């Protein structure tokens, strides 16, 4: 059986108790919510400061002023997707070698830590995420020396990195820090081909990864809060780990013809793409809120089992007509809110973001030299 590609997924995607939150502080936060989800309904943004494996090609730095704006608008969460090569030392004129994977550059990790503490200063919870981990990334663009799902050394190095970060924040409250193990796990036929076929990680392998990493993290603080991204590129609930005191993270990108319309890393051919509508007939499918409700049904059921759920990424590329984006996204956010599930927009600034998104059909508001999508901000604040 062939596995679906990410493109196929984007186009076609139509008993743990409250002990999950092991710290009394998080339990108290959850208890204050009338909804079933035991995880706090954090709301905020992905910040891409450390997203690139090459720090020389990173995004413009997030400033304290940006964090003040987020907090002032009522947001309380940031997710930091990190590429581990951005904070290790190696000869960047060639592919990284296995002995270099653990060569952590503390000057680089100090910069990450500084951003974390600046966020804490403004009341923002920070979720550290390995977007590129030793031996795996959902994206191409960097040559790994091994495969996380096949090589024991890759798994050991993955655990080593999480042990490093857990030790770094050993004294930090679970109210302020969480550890999102691995961005969008999936199988890949070719790690260097962005369009290669992908599918779910076998459940036993996913459990092994989550178990080993969470044990290493909690060795430094048993109350550390751990999150696992959904299997099969973030789309599937992970039943194999519901007994491990680990929350799970879903996505808000369905259907891909809306969220990733004309995104070059998703669609090879742009000329014949159907025009996005919401709701409405797009190609051979009728797109509507009902498909979103069906998508999130397994995640809602997970919260009723006592497993925390958060939407770690959601949003829309800047080629989708703005009115269509906002209509679709309001339904996404409403379904999430109705079930007590928080979210993090991908991203704060940039082509998916609220600032400087580069859309051609938005009357931007000048905001301290940035172009603010006020309609998007108002929608986010509503939910």
């Amino acid at each position: 059986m062939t596995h679906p590609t990410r493109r196929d997924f984007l186009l076609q995607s139509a008993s743990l108790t409250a002990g999950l939150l092991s710290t009394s502080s998080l339990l108290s936060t959850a208890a204050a919510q009338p909804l079933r989800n035991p995880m706090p309904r954090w709301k905020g943004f992905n910040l891409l400061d450390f997203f690139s494996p090459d720090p020389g090609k990173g995004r413009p730095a997030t400033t304290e002023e940006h964090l003040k704006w987020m907090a002032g608008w009522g947001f309380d969460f940031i997710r930091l997707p990190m590429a581990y090569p951005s904070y290790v030392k190696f000869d960047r004129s060639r592919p990284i070698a296995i002995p270099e994977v653990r060569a952590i550059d503390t000057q680089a990790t100090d910069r990450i830590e500084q951003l974390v503490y600046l966020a804490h200063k403004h009341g923002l919870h920070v979720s550290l995420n390995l977007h590129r981990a030793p031996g795996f990334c959902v994206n191409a663009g960097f040559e790994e020396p091994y495969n996380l799902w096949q090589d024991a050394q890759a798994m050991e190095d993955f655990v080593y990195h999480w042990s490093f970060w857990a030790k770094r924040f050993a004294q930090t409250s679970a109210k302020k820090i969480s550890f999102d193990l691995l961005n969008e796990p999936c199988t890949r036929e070719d790690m260097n081909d962005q369009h290669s076929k992908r599918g779910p990680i076998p459940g036993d392998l996913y459990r092994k990864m989550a178990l080993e990493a969470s044990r290493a993290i909690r060795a430094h603080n048993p109350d550390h809060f751990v999150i696992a991204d959904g299997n099969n590129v973030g789309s599937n609930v992970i039943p194999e780990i519901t007994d491990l005191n680990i929350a799970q993270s879903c996505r808000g990108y369905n259907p891909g013809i809306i969220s990733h319309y004309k995104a070059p890393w998703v669609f090879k051919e742009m000329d014949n793409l159907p025009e996005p509508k919401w709701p409405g007939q797009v190609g051979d499918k009728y797109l509507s809120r009902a498909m979103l409700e069906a998508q999130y049904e397994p995640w809602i059921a997970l919260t009723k089992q006592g497993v925390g759920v958060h939407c770690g990424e959601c949003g829309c590329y800047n080629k989708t007509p703005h009115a269509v984006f906002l209509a679709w996204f309001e339904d996404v956010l409403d379904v999430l809110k109705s079930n007590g599930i928080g979210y993090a927009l991908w991203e704060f600034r940039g082509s998916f973001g609220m600032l400087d998104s580069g859309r051609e059909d938005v009357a931007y508001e000048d905001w301290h030299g940035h172009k603010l999508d006020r309609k998007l901000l108002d929608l986010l604040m509503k939910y």
Side-chain angles (χ1 to χ4, degrees), residues 119-312:
H120 290 168
K121 178 181 175 182
H122 295 283
L124 301 165
H125 178 96
V126 179
S127 188
L128 296 178
N129 165 252
L130 278 181
H131 188 278
R132 176 171 292 280
F136 175 78
C137 184
V138 71
N139 296 337
F142 183 86
E143 186 174 339
E144 293 291 335
Y146 41 28
N147 187 307
L148 177 62
W149 311 109
Q150 299 173 6
D151 301 305
Q153 185 61 56
M155 187 64 70
E156 290 174 12
D157 291 342
F158 172 72
V159 170
Y160 176 88
H161 276 258
W162 274 125
S163 181
F164 170 86
W165 286 113
K167 182 178 180 181
R168 195 88 167 200
F169 294 103
Q171 303 305 315
T172 304
S173 165
K175 275 189 172 182
K176 295 182 177 181
I177 195 81
S178 57
F179 303 85
D180 182 346
L181 299 178
L182 184 64
N183 185 72
E184 299 180 356
C186 62
T187 60
R188 292 194 52 179
E189 290 185 338
D190 183 352
M191 291 294 291
N192 292 313
D193 180 2
Q194 190 65 43
H195 296 275
S196 67
K197 291 183 179 180
R198 310 176 192 194
I201 299 297
D204 59 334
L205 288 182
Y206 200 121
R207 181 179 175 86
K208 175 180 172 63
M209 178 274 287
L211 185 59
E212 292 192 14
S214 62
R215 280 176 174 169
I217 289 168
R218 289 178 174 141
H220 297 284
N221 183 334
D223 288 340
H224 271 330
F225 192 87
V226 179
I227 302 170
D229 283 11
N231 203 345
N232 195 18
V233 201
S235 61
N236 298 350
V237 163
I238 318 142
E240 296 84 0
I241 68 167
T242 55
D243 63 324
L244 295 184
N245 190 17
I246 295 175
Q248 298 191 27
S249 178
C250 61
R251 292 294 179 266
Y253 294 135
N254 178 39
I257 192 61
I258 301 289
S259 66
H260 286 71
Y261 181 62
K262 292 188 176 181
W265 63 94
V266 175
F267 298 100
K268 287 185 177 180
E269 300 294 333
M270 304 288 189
D271 294 340
N272 297 318
L273 289 178
E275 180 184 355
K277 301 175 185 176
W278 189 269
Q281 189 73 29
V282 180
D284 61 354
K285 295 183 182 300
Y286 186 83
L287 309 184
S288 69
R289 182 186 173 109
M291 68 187 301
L292 298 178
E293 293 172 342
Q295 172 199 352
Y296 289 114
E297 186 175 349
W299 297 95
I300 296 164
L302 195 63
T303 69
K304 294 176 182 179
Q305 296 177 45
V307 178
V309 173
H310 187 261
C311 183

Side-chain angles (χ1 to χ4, degrees), residues 316-330:
C316 189
Y317 188 51
N318 62 9
K319 296 299 186 290
T320 302
H322 197 237
V324 174
F325 161 40
L326 294 180
W328 162 77
F329 201 42
E330 179 154 22

